[in-house]
Amino acid sequence: MPNIQILDQQTIDKIAAGEVIERPASVVKELVENSIDARASAITVEIKEGGISFIRITDNGCGIEENQVPLAFLRHSTSKIRSVEDLFTVSSLGFRGEALSSIAAVSQVELITKTAQGISGVRYLIDGGKEKSMEEIGAPEGTTFLVRNLFYNTPARRKFLKTPQTETGYINDLMERLALSHPEISFKFIANNQLKIHTSGNSSLKEIIYHLYGRDIAGNLLEIKEENDLFSIRGFIGKPLISRGNRNYENYFINGRYIKSALIAKSIEEGYKSFVMQHKYPFTVLHISINGSLLDVNVHPTKMELRFSNGEALYQALTELIKKNINQSELVYQSDFEKEKENQKKMRLQKQEQLKSSRQAPEPFETKRLQAVKQAIQKDSPYEPKFEKQLELAADDCKFTGATGMTSDSANYGIQKNSTQQKLSETPKTLETPEKQQRLFEEHNIQPESIPESSRKLLDISSQKDHRIIGQLFETYWLLEFDEKLYIIDQHAAHEKVLYERTMKSLDSREFTSQTIYPPLLLTLTMQEEALLKKYMDYFRKLGFELEHFGGKEYSVTAVPANLFGLNGRDLMIEILDSLSEFHGRETPEMITEKIASMSCKAAVKGNQKLSMPEIEALLGELLTLDNPYHCPHGRPTIISMSKYELEKKFKRVL
């Protein structure tokens, strides 16, 4: 038997580093979280070759005392907690004291730091966990980390890294989420000398969403704000029309910490259920604040997982809150015939905004010269109003920017020429005021694509008297006029939704009607189907089915729910049983009843089925009473709209 021995410290550190530092993004995460804990208001991350060869992170936080610097690189050394009791009330992002020692064990680290009280800064070098040097150095207040040659001494780990482009993508995703989690901090991310992300730090969450995800998403958001005994929440959720094919757009932060939580994700998706199609996931940016005593953050070395002591109550409350906020908004899909032209116009506006935002204010002597030029133009030029207006705009721009470097030619017109993004990243930071940024953001960027919505909703009892039903199109769609808009309603999707909600309400109120069928239907079931039927028999009976064992593998169906009378009962029962087999033992009572109720949609009117005007009016009247009339049970839209303005544009009546 091999001898048991204690590992040396260097081996221990490398093993620990394997738990915390998986890739360059892990280094960035740990160091940026330290900067946030140090109360920095501006953080810059710069990488080269995906962060494998070079990472530099600079902040303007409180810095580290000179005598504390060597201690910071020891395992389990931290300023965040003092005893085991503190683990139950952790408010900082970091607390384990493993990050710096783990990073230093597998890379070459240089630290430059200075506190507000210090006369000079400190430069500290540590290579592969071994201290190399420590000296005084002139430095601004804050901390700079330079991490070079990650995994240089663990080649087995290095060869499992992805390409530099892929690693850069991981870091970019991380920086986006950090920017969303702390809108009050200005983040800058530079990759291979190219500026990728730059946020203003003006606390405007919606502005950050616009810059990261674009106009389409930012223009289709619903604000959410709530405070109760369990949690307080603020942020934005996306309308169902901007749902995506994966969960990458589900962003949620617990006490400022970006995490992955199956419970939170499930509650969000449950709130969107019946609003989005299957295999589609919502866009969310939610800041959730919960009492630290109700959380366990000490679950995983990377702190990406949490445990909740009140998980079930949190799940229910968050689900109901999201449902309530979605239902308060009219979710009619709007068509857009001029999409291509509108996109081109948007691109031109965005380009103008980028040019405007990249201008730099002149030094004081340049401002005086600008005024002199303005006075000369007023005196001599026959085009005085035109030039005066341009110069006033330039002067206004100068008021909200604060960087240097204006050329003499550009000073005459208040325009700064700045050719490349690289040059922009090298210039001093612009100091736009939050008010100006927000005004530009709202005026030019964040308005929805469509014409402003009417204050009245189509599917509202008070609006019913103003509905004008034009008729049926292709024996599938109804055409309806209301408030200078044309609404197109899919009769099959609308009737599906009516039947589904009618069935679910019957389940809640325990009011069912069954229709006896004669002769009874005989079903021959396989062993698996028979097991499913026995398991869910109570649910079938609640819905109005009456079934009896007929001997052997045979079962007789003597009655079906009244709203399903006339359908092929045999095929319907087999289809319901097949759908229930998908649960694989992970079902809940709500999932089962919703699955069975969704099968009631089979009784809905089909496309290419002619309806009379009274039938259309009756179905429209039922839609008005639904909680969510805008989507069928499968998430497809029931209604789309087209404004009078869009029609006039199509006929060139307006240009």
Side-chain angles (χ1 to χ4, degrees):
M1 177 180 173
N3 293 329
I4 298 173
Q5 61 183 28
I6 299 174
L7 297 173
D8 61 86
Q9 189 60 42
Q10 194 172 9
T11 305
I12 292 171
D13 288 343
K14 287 182 180 178
I15 292 172
E19 296 178 346
V20 180
I21 307 302
E22 299 175 357
R23 53 180 9 105
S26 306
V27 176
V28 174
K29 175 182 180 293
E30 297 294 342
L31 295 181
V32 171
E33 286 183 349
N34 280 349
S35 296
I36 294 171
D37 288 339
R39 299 185 296 279
S41 61
I43 301 171
T44 299
V45 176
E46 184 177 357
I47 66 167
K48 292 178 181 176
E49 297 180 5
I52 300 169
S53 64
F54 179 84
I55 299 173
R56 175 164 55 203
I57 297 177
T58 305
D59 68 58
N60 63 350
C62 61
I64 306 173
E65 296 281 352
E66 181 178 356
N67 62 341
Q68 298 284 300
V69 170
L71 289 176
F73 287 89
L74 299 179
R75 283 197 72 200
H76 304 303
S77 60
T78 180
S79 61
K80 317 294 174 58
I81 61 173
R82 290 290 179 266
S83 65
V84 67
E85 288 77 16
D86 295 339
L87 286 173
F88 300 104
T89 56
V90 170
S91 59
S92 59
L93 298 181
F95 60 89
R96 296 173 66 95
E98 294 181 313
L100 293 185
S101 66
S102 297
I103 294 168
V106 292
S107 64
Q108 298 165 335
V109 178
E110 178 181 349
L111 166 65
I112 300 172
T113 185
K114 177 183 175 297
T115 62
Q117 297 77 24
I119 299 173
S120 61
V122 178
R123 180 171 180 262
Y124 182 76
L125 298 179
I126 184 168
D127 187 345
K130 295 180 180 179
E131 182 180 325
K132 293 296 182 182
S133 66
M134 181 172 173
E135 60 187 5
E136 287 190 5
I137 191 174
E141 183 180 341
T143 302
T144 298
F145 273 96
L146 292 95
V147 181
R148 297 182 175 90
N149 301 321
L150 188 63
F151 299 134
Y152 79 101
N153 54 357
T154 52
R157 294 291 306 281
R158 187 167 184 137
K159 74 178 182 181
F160 283 103
L161 294 178
K162 307 295 185 183
T163 64
Q165 292 83 0
T166 303
E167 296 296 342
T168 299
Y170 288 138
I171 297 174
N172 189 81
D173 290 345
L174 171 68
M175 292 303 299
E176 288 180 355
R177 290 188 165 93
L178 287 169
L180 290 169
S181 67
H182 291 84
E184 74 283 0
I185 297 176
S186 174
F187 288 94
K188 185 185 287 187
F189 174 50
I190 301 168
N192 298 324
N193 297 321
Q194 291 184 335
L195 183 66
K196 299 295 186 182
I197 297 173
H198 190 187
T199 65
S200 62
N202 65 356
S203 299
S204 173
L205 182 58
K206 197 168 187 180
E207 180 181 332
I208 294 174
I209 294 172
Y210 169 77
H211 286 300
L212 296 181
Y213 296 104
R215 179 192 181 106
D216 286 344
I217 285 181
N220 289 286
L221 297 177
L222 304 172
E223 187 171 9
I224 186 169
K225 190 179 289 186
E226 178 78 13
E227 189 167 349
N228 55 42
D229 295 338
L230 294 171
F231 59 81
S232 65
I233 185 171
R234 61 181 179 84
F236 295 92
I237 58 176
K239 293 180 180 179
L241 64 93
I242 57 171
S243 57
R244 291 296 188 268
N246 56 53
R247 292 186 173 91
N248 290 345
Y249 286 72
E250 292 181 7
N251 302 289
Y252 41 87
F253 310 96
I254 307 293
N255 296 345
R257 186 192 306 276
Y258 171 63
I259 64 158
K260 288 289 187 183
S261 167
L263 185 141
I264 299 292
K266 178 65 178 171
S267 65
I268 290 171
E269 289 160 21
E270 186 68 22
Y272 272 88
K273 199 167 186 178
S274 81
F275 292 99
V276 297
M277 295 179 66
Q278 280 189 332
H279 311 301
K280 290 288 186 180
Y281 302 95
F283 174 90
T284 62
V285 179
L286 298 175
H287 287 256
I288 305 172
S289 296
I290 302 177
N291 189 329
S293 62
L294 302 177
L295 300 173
D296 182 4
V297 295
N298 189 28
V299 176
H300 193 274
T302 62
K303 303 180 289 293
M304 284 292 291
E305 298 176 15
L306 291 179
R307 288 199 189 102
F308 303 91
S309 63
N310 57 346
E312 183 61 31
L314 175 65
Y315 174 89
Q316 296 293 344
L318 186 55
T319 299
E320 290 303 317
L321 179 62
I322 288 174
K323 279 183 181 178
K324 183 181 75 173
N325 276 268
I326 298 175
N327 277 324
Q328 287 175 351
S329 173
E330 187 165 45
L331 303 174
V332 177
Y333 285 64
Q334 298 185 348
S335 66
D336 188 1
F337 287 126
E338 301 292 328
K339 185 89 173 177
E340 202 169 320
K341 290 184 180 179
E342 290 293 326
N343 285 340
Q344 291 174 356
K345 185 177 179 182
K346 281 180 233 165
M347 288 175 67
R348 287 197 300 271
L349 282 172
Q350 289 173 8
K351 193 171 182 180
Q352 290 171 7
E353 277 308 312
Q354 289 170 358
L355 288 172
K356 183 185 282 188
S357 64
S358 65
R359 295 178 188 170
Q360 299 171 6
E363 293 284 358
F365 69 86
E366 290 285 355
T367 306
K368 293 177 183 176
R369 189 159 68 85
L370 190 64
Q371 293 296 330
V373 172
K374 177 179 176 181
Q375 291 172 4
I377 291 173
Q378 287 177 337
K379 181 178 179 182
D380 301 329
S381 173
Y383 305 105
E384 179 183 329
K386 177 181 176 183
F387 283 88
E388 181 178 2
K389 185 176 181 180
Q390 287 186 352
L391 286 164
E392 284 175 355
L393 287 172
D396 285 342
D397 285 346
C398 296
K399 291 176 185 176
F400 71 94
T401 58
T404 62
M406 197 170 197
T407 64
S408 58
D409 289 338
S410 63
N412 290 329
Y413 300 98
I415 298 175
Q416 170 64 29
K417 298 176 182 177
N418 193 349
S419 58
T420 66
Q421 197 172 18
Q422 183 175 349
K423 287 182 181 179
L424 178 62
S425 67
E426 293 170 356
T427 58
K429 177 184 175 183
T430 55
L431 300 175
E432 295 180 338
T433 63
E435 294 80 10
K436 182 69 176 180
Q437 284 184 329
Q438 185 65 21
R439 186 158 57 84
L440 288 173
F441 170 68
E442 290 175 350
E443 288 176 0
H444 297 286
N445 296 324
I446 204 58
Q447 296 304 321
E449 292 180 8
S450 57
I451 305 302
E453 292 184 9
S454 167
S455 58
R456 298 200 299 167
K457 290 184 179 181
L458 169 72
L459 297 178
D460 194 282
I461 298 294
S462 62
S463 304
Q464 188 174 12
K465 63 181 184 302
D466 296 320
H467 292 167
R468 188 172 80 84
I469 299 175
I470 300 169
Q472 192 178 27
L473 178 67
F474 307 135
E475 297 185 346
T476 303
Y477 307 101
W478 321 331
L479 304 182
L480 185 145
E481 179 189 341
F482 174 71
D483 270 8
E484 295 197 339
K485 281 189 178 182
L486 171 66
Y487 291 88
I488 305 173
I489 303 175
D490 183 333
Q491 66 184 29
H492 175 66
H495 196 202
E496 272 190 329
K497 187 62 178 182
V498 167
L499 291 178
Y500 175 79
E501 293 212 7
R502 187 189 296 167
T503 304
M504 291 304 293
K505 285 180 179 176
S506 296
L507 284 168
D508 292 338
S509 60
R510 302 182 182 278
E511 295 175 358
F512 306 99
T513 55
S514 297
Q515 177 68 51
T516 302
I517 52 177
Y518 186 83
L521 287 174
L522 285 181
L523 299 177
T524 303
L525 305 179
T526 66
M527 186 180 296
Q528 290 81 4
E529 289 169 343
E530 186 178 11
L532 286 169
L533 181 60
K534 289 178 178 178
K535 183 176 182 179
Y536 300 120
M537 183 67 79
D538 289 343
Y539 295 99
F540 281 104
R541 286 175 175 157
K542 284 179 183 177
L543 284 167
F545 287 97
E546 291 182 11
L547 303 103
E548 298 175 358
H549 189 219
F550 201 66
K553 296 181 179 179
E554 307 287 333
Y555 282 81
S556 66
V557 182
T558 57
V560 297
N563 60 332
L564 300 183
F565 184 73
L567 294 180
N568 187 322
R570 181 180 288 102
D571 292 347
L572 181 63
M573 283 294 300
I574 296 298
E575 190 171 343
I576 291 174
L577 290 172
D578 287 344
S579 67
L580 292 174
S581 67
E582 298 171 1
F583 289 134
H584 303 296
R586 295 189 298 270
E587 71 280 358
T588 63
E590 293 78 13
M591 291 166 64
I592 297 165
T593 53
E594 286 181 11
K595 177 67 77 172
I596 297 175
S598 67
M599 292 300 167
S600 66
C601 303
K602 301 292 180 182
V605 295
K606 304 296 187 288
N608 298 315
Q609 183 175 339
K610 191 171 182 62
L611 296 180
S612 65
M613 190 61 70
E615 288 175 318
I616 293 174
E617 290 174 350
L619 201 45
L620 184 60
E622 286 204 68
L623 273 180
L624 299 177
T625 65
L626 303 185
D627 295 330
N628 169 27
Y630 304 105
H631 300 83
C632 79
H634 314 293
R636 293 191 296 269
T638 58
I639 308 169
I640 63 172
S641 71
M642 187 188 310
S643 68
K644 179 182 176 183
Y645 177 77
E646 286 176 322
L647 281 172
E648 289 177 337
K649 281 173 69 178
K650 194 66 177 173
F651 285 103
K652 308 300 181 187
R653 295 175 68 89
V654 294
L655 300 174

